[in-house]
Amino acid sequence: MATIEPTGRTGFPSAPFTVEDLLEFPDDGNRYELFNGSLLVSPAPTPRHQRVITRLLLILQTAAPPGLECLTTVNVRRSNENLFIPHLVVVPEQVSEGVDLMYSPSDLLLAVEVVSPSSKTHDRATKVAAYAEAGIPIYWRVEPMEGPTVYVYELDGNSYSGPVAHKAGTRLSSAAPFPVTFDPADLMRLRG
């Protein structure tokens, strides 16, 4: 049986945290993000949460034109004190070919967050402001407990306009970052 020798580190570094600090954190299934040097830790998503992410990923991948790809849980580094991990993004394939570990916010055409009880404050407020400030042109916030509802934010200068709410049972039709139409209820439907 292999063992790992102690490194001498007895705990996490102290705040404010940096991206370099995050790279030293354990790979323990949690999602570690930074906002102005403050650490945001999210547990692994629930099965319902994963279903919403997977269904939306499939919808977007099916609609995406050649040259664009949809990815989950990528690192987006804005600065040494700001690292985001959106649940879903749309990026140019050509950009992905050159990315090793971290995307720049300017690489993203769309960022999506699926709200959970532990992330609602950040997804509804903190990330709206941070993503707009980072220049991410479109942000979708998916609220599973609302049927689900997809809130669409579009960058207007340095802040987002909207959001425009698309409730289950209606059609969300978006032209950007590419044409896609779906009923938000599809994000929660069981396959059987």
Side-chain angles (χ1 to χ4, degrees):
M1 174 189 285
T3 60
I4 299 172
E5 292 297 318
T7 62
R9 180 176 244 165
T10 59
F12 291 126
S14 60
F17 295 96
T18 66
V19 171
E20 286 74 25
D21 293 331
L22 282 189
L23 295 176
E24 299 295 320
F25 279 33
D27 186 7
D28 60 4
N30 288 313
R31 191 170 88 162
Y32 295 97
E33 296 178 279
L34 285 179
F35 291 89
N36 297 320
S38 294
L39 186 63
L40 173 62
V41 182
S42 303
T46 65
R48 178 180 288 201
H49 196 97
Q50 291 179 35
R51 179 182 304 134
V52 170
I53 294 167
T54 301
R55 300 284 189 279
L56 185 54
L57 175 66
L58 292 171
I59 289 167
L60 291 174
Q61 280 183 319
T62 300
L68 295 182
E69 65 181 337
C70 311
L71 303 169
T72 62
T73 58
V74 301
N75 298 307
V76 180
R77 181 181 183 157
R78 178 159 184 252
S79 69
N80 201 37
E81 293 80 30
N82 291 280
L83 179 114
F84 318 127
I85 306 176
H87 287 117
L88 243 164
V89 298
V90 173
V91 294
E93 286 180 332
Q94 203 167 41
V95 170
S96 288
E97 286 298 308
V99 171
D100 181 34
L101 181 61
M102 299 191 194
Y103 286 86
S104 166
S106 62
D107 297 333
L108 277 60
L109 305 175
L110 167 69
V112 179
E113 294 289 356
V114 178
V115 177
S116 65
S118 66
S119 71
K120 61 186 172 188
T121 300
H122 293 289
D123 293 340
R124 294 174 183 164
T126 309
K127 288 187 178 182
V128 174
Y131 288 0
E133 191 176 298
I136 297 171
I138 304 167
Y139 171 52
W140 290 2
R141 189 183 88 233
V142 181
E143 295 273 357
M145 299 310 290
E146 294 181 13
T149 299
V150 178
Y151 291 86
V152 176
Y153 299 80
E154 293 190 25
L155 198 59
D156 183 13
N158 293 329
S159 62
Y160 287 121
S161 62
V164 176
H166 301 273
K167 297 187 178 294
T170 65
R171 305 299 283 173
L172 183 159
S173 289
S174 180
F178 47 79
V180 64
T181 300
F182 64 95
D183 180 345
D186 294 341
L187 303 178
M188 298 285 286
R189 290 192 211 290
L190 299 176
R191 292 188 58 209

